[in-house]
């Protein structure tokens, strides 16, 4: 190999290293935009270089922002509430960095999430005696999830507002999503709109289709992935 070819090869390699993160972000942005208009969910099957896959179980999902977003907390509580996006942003926040693990196999390492601990909202609502679980609903009109009350009170369960130091985009479930750090990502419901305290666990969308209700990474769904926390 001649000197010029060798140097050119090194230059292309360096260019690839320098531009790879930008290209990855661009690919993720493109897939996020396309998936928002894809009722088949097939865009989630496209290769994405180790980044996020984008899934929705509804044909379309409305966009909500600071003007119209509301998060309700109700059920077996003494003080039902409806929070605006401004209300949530004004609360003390927790930041955590964990790997994100999907039950389908892909993993995104070292992902920063920031938000309000779910336990803070539950405490403010005044959970009644006899409560055993929490049910989550989403403004896509279809997706649901649930946790036991003990799981919901864990310090690594957030009502997330930001990811990677940016406000959550619509494709990532914004403006507000659930983030359950130690469980497979289907437990981290996107487009969160309702938190209802109940007397029993109600299986969510994917659990009704056969996924485990308790979704600890590496200890459920027949998988042996490395735990995320």
């Amino acid at each position: 190999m001649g000197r010029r070819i060798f140097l050119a090869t090194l230059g292309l390699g360096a260019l690839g290293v320098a531009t790879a993160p930008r290209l990855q972000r661009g690919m993720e942005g493109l897939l996020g935009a396309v998936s928002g208009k894809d009722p088949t969910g097939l865009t989630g099957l496209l290769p994405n270089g180790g980044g996020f896959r984008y899934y929705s179980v509804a044909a379309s999902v409305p966009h909500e922002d600071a003007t119209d977003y509301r998060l309700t907390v109700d059920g077996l509580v003494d003080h039902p509430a409806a929070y605006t996006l401004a209300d949530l942003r004004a609360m003390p926040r927790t930041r955590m960095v964990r790997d994100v693990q999907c039950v389908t196999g892909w993993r995104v390492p070292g992902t920063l999430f920031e938000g309000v601990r779910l336990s803070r909202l539950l405490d403010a609502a005044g959970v009644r005696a006899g409560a055993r679980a929490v049910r989550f609903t989403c403004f896509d009109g279809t997706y649901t999830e649930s946790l036991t009350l003990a799981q919901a009170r864990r310090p690594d369960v957030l009502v997330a507002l930001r990811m990677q130091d940016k406000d959550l985009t619509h494709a990532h479930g914004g403006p507000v999503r659930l983030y359950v750090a130690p469980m497979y990502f289907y437990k981290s419901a996107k487009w969160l709109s309702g938190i209802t305290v109940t007397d029993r666990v109600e299986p969510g969308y994917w659990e009704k289709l056969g996924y485990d209700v308790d979704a600890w990474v590496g200890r459920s769904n027949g998988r042996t992935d490395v735990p995320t926390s």
Side-chain angles (χ1 to χ4, degrees):
M1 179 184 297
R3 183 172 179 272
R4 290 183 179 178
I5 296 177
F6 175 73
L7 292 176
T9 302
L10 286 180
L12 287 174
L15 179 62
V17 170
T19 59
R22 187 179 305 170
L23 291 173
Q24 175 63 34
R25 288 193 297 271
M27 177 62 75
E28 289 186 8
L30 174 62
L31 290 178
V34 171
S35 66
K37 302 176 182 178
D38 174 23
T40 69
L42 293 177
T43 50
L45 303 177
L46 295 174
N48 196 16
F52 284 90
R53 305 298 191 270
Y54 297 86
Y55 305 111
S56 172
V57 298
S60 63
V61 182
H63 286 65
E64 295 196 1
D65 56 24
T67 302
D68 49 17
Y69 179 79
R70 296 294 184 275
L71 174 63
T72 60
V73 181
D74 56 22
L76 298 178
V77 299
D78 293 326
H79 310 292
Y83 295 99
T84 66
L85 193 54
D87 293 334
L88 294 171
R89 287 173 173 169
M91 293 181 181
R93 301 188 203 175
T94 296
R95 290 162 60 91
M96 65 178 70
V97 178
R98 300 285 192 277
D99 290 358
V100 168
Q101 178 69 55
C102 181
V103 74
T104 61
W106 57 264
R107 190 179 186 106
V108 180
T111 304
L112 170 63
F113 277 92
E114 179 180 339
V116 179
R117 283 180 176 167
L118 177 57
S119 60
R120 178 179 294 275
L121 298 184
L122 295 175
D123 289 344
V127 175
R128 295 177 181 172
R132 297 289 182 271
V134 184
R135 181 173 184 264
F136 306 96
T137 50
C138 307
F139 63 78
D140 69 347
T142 304
Y143 203 85
T144 60
E145 255 310 332
S146 64
L147 295 170
T148 67
L149 189 57
Q151 291 166 352
R153 289 191 178 281
R154 287 177 58 103
D156 52 4
V157 177
L158 301 181
V159 172
L161 306 171
R162 292 171 63 81
M163 187 182 80
Q164 302 294 52
D165 282 327
K166 296 179 180 178
D167 291 343
L168 279 170
T169 64
H170 180 76
H172 279 296
V176 179
R177 73 175 298 160
L178 187 66
Y179 178 52
V180 186
M183 292 188 177
Y184 285 104
F185 209 35
Y186 65 86
K187 301 296 287 191
S188 297
K190 298 166 74 172
W191 306 301
L192 183 65
S193 61
I195 298 171
T196 301
V197 179
T198 63
D199 61 358
R200 65 189 182 280
V201 170
E202 300 178 29
Y205 179 91
W206 286 111
E207 287 90 351
K208 292 177 181 177
L209 296 177
Y211 283 27
D212 286 356
V213 173
D214 287 327
W216 307 106
V217 173
R219 293 189 283 126
S220 65
N221 294 286
R223 297 188 61 88
T224 58
D225 303 287
V226 176
T228 53
S229 62

